[in-house]
């Protein structure tokens, strides 16, 4: 497995939880975001109002902890703004991180990454 070659990224949202999707030619994965995990309110507010759109990807062997690859991608500004908007909705519709974690579990148990790709928005890097 590696990060070389064509790469698509995408966004899937359910229950005010953004799932960021990486789709490579031979494999894919999704990452959920729970904004409540950023416990420092000032840091959380700063991140939600930031203009940044770069995401760093690291390919690490979970058994050996050896880093096999790194790649950074630039996410389009509308997608990065949509992620932040979803997270602001997450803050206003939930009271604590455990509520969000419960919703994440529901989505993960009912949808595969492939299903998220098929119903989400995908973009070519």
């Amino acid at each position: 497995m590696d990060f070389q070659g064509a790469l698509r990224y995408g966004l899937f949202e359910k229950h005010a939880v953004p799932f960021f999707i990486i789709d490579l030619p031979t494999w894919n994965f999704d990452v959920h975001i729970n904004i409540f995990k950023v416990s420092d309110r000032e840091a959380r507010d700063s991140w939600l109002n930031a203009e940044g759109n770069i995401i760093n990807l690291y390919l690490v062997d979970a058994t050996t902890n050896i880093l096999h690859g790194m790649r950074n991608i630039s996410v389009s500004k509308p997608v990065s703004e949509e992620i932040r908007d979803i997270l602001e909705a997450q803050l206003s519709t939930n009271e604590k991180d455990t509520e969000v974690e419960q919703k994440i579990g529901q989505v993960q148990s009912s949808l595969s990454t492939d299903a998220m790709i098929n119903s989400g928005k995908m973009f070519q890097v």
Side-chain angles (χ1 to χ4, degrees):
M1 286 192 264
D2 62 41
F3 282 152
Q4 296 177 357
L7 179 148
R8 293 187 316 152
Y9 69 88
L11 180 61
F12 175 82
E13 182 269 333
K14 183 109 177 162
H15 306 304
V17 177
F19 291 82
F20 188 76
I21 303 161
I22 298 292
D23 185 35
L24 294 153
T26 56
W27 57 290
N28 58 39
F29 61 93
D30 63 88
V31 178
H32 59 269
I33 306 171
N34 180 345
I35 195 67
F36 285 92
K37 296 295 184 177
V38 181
S39 57
D40 181 327
R41 283 183 184 245
E42 196 171 300
R44 180 170 56 200
D45 291 343
S46 175
W47 187 83
L48 286 171
N49 293 304
E51 295 290 324
N53 63 340
I54 301 292
I55 295 179
N56 298 310
L57 304 172
Y58 301 95
L59 181 60
V60 178
D61 184 314
T63 305
T64 64
N65 293 324
I66 294 174
L67 177 66
H68 289 279
M70 297 183 299
R71 187 166 177 179
N72 59 6
I73 62 171
S74 177
V75 177
S76 73
K77 186 169 179 151
V79 172
S80 63
E81 288 174 353
E82 186 172 357
I83 291 170
R84 288 181 175 98
D85 290 345
I86 294 168
L87 292 172
E88 287 173 356
Q90 188 181 100
L91 281 171
S92 67
T93 58
N94 299 280
E95 292 186 23
K96 52 188 174 181
D97 70 321
T98 54
E99 291 176 56
V100 178
E101 290 300 317
Q102 204 170 31
K103 292 173 182 177
I104 290 167
Q106 290 170 354
V107 173
Q108 289 178 324
S109 67
S110 64
L111 290 172
S112 66
T113 302
D114 287 332
M116 291 181 194
I117 288 170
N118 291 331
S119 61
K121 302 172 191 170
M122 299 299 295
F123 306 91
Q124 191 74 37
V125 170

